[in-house]
Amino acid sequence: MAQHIVMDTDPGIDDSLAILLALASPEVELAAVSVTGGNCSLPCGVRNALSVLALSGRSDLSVHAGVALPLLRPAFTAPETHGDTGLGYARLPDSPVPPSDEHGVDMLIREIMAQPGEVTLVALAPLTNVALAIRKEPRIVEAVREVIIMGGALRVDGNTTPLAEFNFYVDPHAAQIVLTSGMPITLMPWDICKDVLLTQADVDQLLANGSPISQFVADATRFYIEFHREYFDYAGCSICDPAALALALDGSLGRTEMVNIYVEHTSELTMGKSVADWGRVTGREPNVRAVVEFDSARFIRMFVERLERLVSKRSSSEG
């Protein structure tokens, strides 16, 4: 039986790749997508989510606009990482389907409470929508099956400030609310996913199919690869969000350890820093199952093979 998933996103190149991976994976049933401001503005992210679903032939799935701004801090986007539209060099037509009238926060609550113990929430964006869902309906803390989060830098420097990873830096107050909520959380941190690299050779393998989906991946990741080469000297691009989603597809991809994580949200100098108590010196109980090892090579093979199947299936339906 397929696992019931809802995704909270800020598309974003790697968010878009995660949506494609979810659509290509028989282990999961993607129910809906919510969007918050992050990699790009909220309207931009909503448009991108709708367009990626339309490209995949899944405009039947609803997209829900959530919160545009962090809880207390000003908006912070990443055009240098994802391009002015959020999708690198890719240009997709607008979806013929509009976003849902239901707010993203309300969708998360409805989906989780409709099937207690059955829904996995995959949170790939700043955690504003999730934090407000907890505040509005605290029962989701006990009702959700699992929350898989991409965020935080635990044992390495941040990718946005010297100490902070992007998602936690954008809304550190929301991250602190969610991580201390009592939800069953699995965290994919920047420490691990920075090394999950999609290379140009992987993209070229997809391009051999000559489909609009493959071309979209190529155009989006070309910008992403250029960014990673310039800023990190990587020979490829880190696809953090698909790697986080993959934990819902195959938990054996990652090894985890329980740890207490506190997100700094009071100091400008260290704002968004994920303070992980590996030595258990604070006396605080572990609140997160953090990924400490990940089989990147196996995952990249899975990612490419599944997108190839998605391309083939889409081509057959159009033929």
Side-chain angles (χ1 to χ4, degrees):
M1 184 177 178
Q3 186 178 167
H4 196 82
I5 281 183
V6 290
M7 296 176 67
D8 187 58
T9 66
D10 58 337
I13 294 168
D14 57 338
D15 299 75
S16 300
L17 299 181
I19 291 171
L20 292 176
L21 180 59
L23 299 178
S25 298
E27 301 92 341
V28 303
E29 175 192 355
L30 179 58
V33 176
S34 58
V35 180
T36 190
N39 288 324
C40 58
S41 68
L42 178 64
C44 177
V46 169
R47 178 191 180 277
N48 291 344
L50 287 166
S51 295
V52 170
L53 289 173
L55 175 70
S56 308
R58 292 303 310 271
S59 290
D60 56 302
L61 295 176
S62 57
V63 173
H64 301 252
V67 183
L69 300 174
L71 294 180
L72 297 176
R73 291 172 60 76
F76 186 90
T77 57
E80 73 286 350
T81 308
H82 296 270
D84 291 339
T85 69
L87 297 179
Y89 294 123
R91 296 293 181 266
L92 294 178
D94 289 339
S95 169
V97 178
S100 171
D101 291 334
E102 183 181 34
H103 195 279
V105 169
D106 295 325
M107 181 278 287
L108 296 177
I109 293 170
R110 174 178 55 76
E111 286 286 339
I112 293 169
M113 294 308 300
Q115 301 182 69
E118 299 295 327
V119 176
T120 296
L121 168 58
V122 180
L124 307 176
L127 290 167
T128 317
N129 284 340
V130 183
L132 288 176
I134 292 169
R135 286 291 193 253
K136 186 170 184 178
E137 179 47 271
R139 290 181 300 166
I140 67 170
V141 169
E142 299 294 333
V144 72
R145 180 179 184 268
E146 183 181 15
V147 182
I148 299 173
I149 295 172
M150 189 278 123
L154 306 184
R155 285 175 160 147
V156 299
D157 292 341
N159 61 2
T160 302
T161 74
L163 296 177
E165 176 275 332
F166 178 83
N167 283 343
F168 283 13
Y169 178 76
V170 171
D171 199 339
H173 302 89
Q176 176 67 358
I177 288 171
V178 175
L179 265 60
T180 59
S181 67
M183 282 178 152
I185 293 171
T186 299
L187 184 74
M188 170 61 83
W190 171 243
D191 315 35
I192 304 301
C193 65
K194 68 182 178 63
D195 297 322
V196 183
L197 296 180
L198 187 75
T199 67
Q200 188 59 51
D202 300 319
V203 176
D204 290 343
Q205 182 176 334
L206 284 170
L207 271 174
N209 293 281
S211 79
I213 293 176
S214 299
Q215 192 61 54
F216 163 73
V217 173
D219 291 341
T221 57
R222 181 160 52 91
F223 187 98
Y224 215 29
I225 289 171
E226 289 174 2
F227 166 81
H228 281 77
R229 182 185 301 116
E230 179 180 354
Y231 284 85
F232 303 120
D233 197 27
Y234 288 177
C237 56
S238 304
I239 52 171
C240 292
D241 291 344
L245 172 69
L247 297 170
L249 312 179
D250 182 355
S252 72
L253 284 165
R255 183 175 72 83
T256 62
E257 292 182 11
M258 292 298 298
V259 63
N260 182 276
I261 298 177
Y262 182 99
V263 182
E264 176 55 52
H265 56 280
T266 61
S267 164
E268 275 301 324
L269 183 64
T270 58
M271 187 70 69
K273 167 62 180 172
S274 315
V275 182
D277 182 15
W278 297 108
R280 302 202 175 187
V281 298
T282 64
R284 295 194 293 262
E285 288 296 315
N287 57 350
V288 168
R289 189 178 301 277
V291 178
V292 294
E293 291 180 7
F294 188 76
D295 192 339
S296 297
R298 181 158 66 95
F299 164 70
I300 291 294
R301 289 195 300 272
M302 171 197 289
F303 178 81
V304 174
E305 289 168 1
R306 292 191 177 203
L307 260 62
E308 285 180 320
R309 290 204 297 267
L310 179 66
V311 165
S312 177
K313 182 179 179 182
R314 178 67 172 144
S315 298
S316 298
S317 68
E318 292 175 337

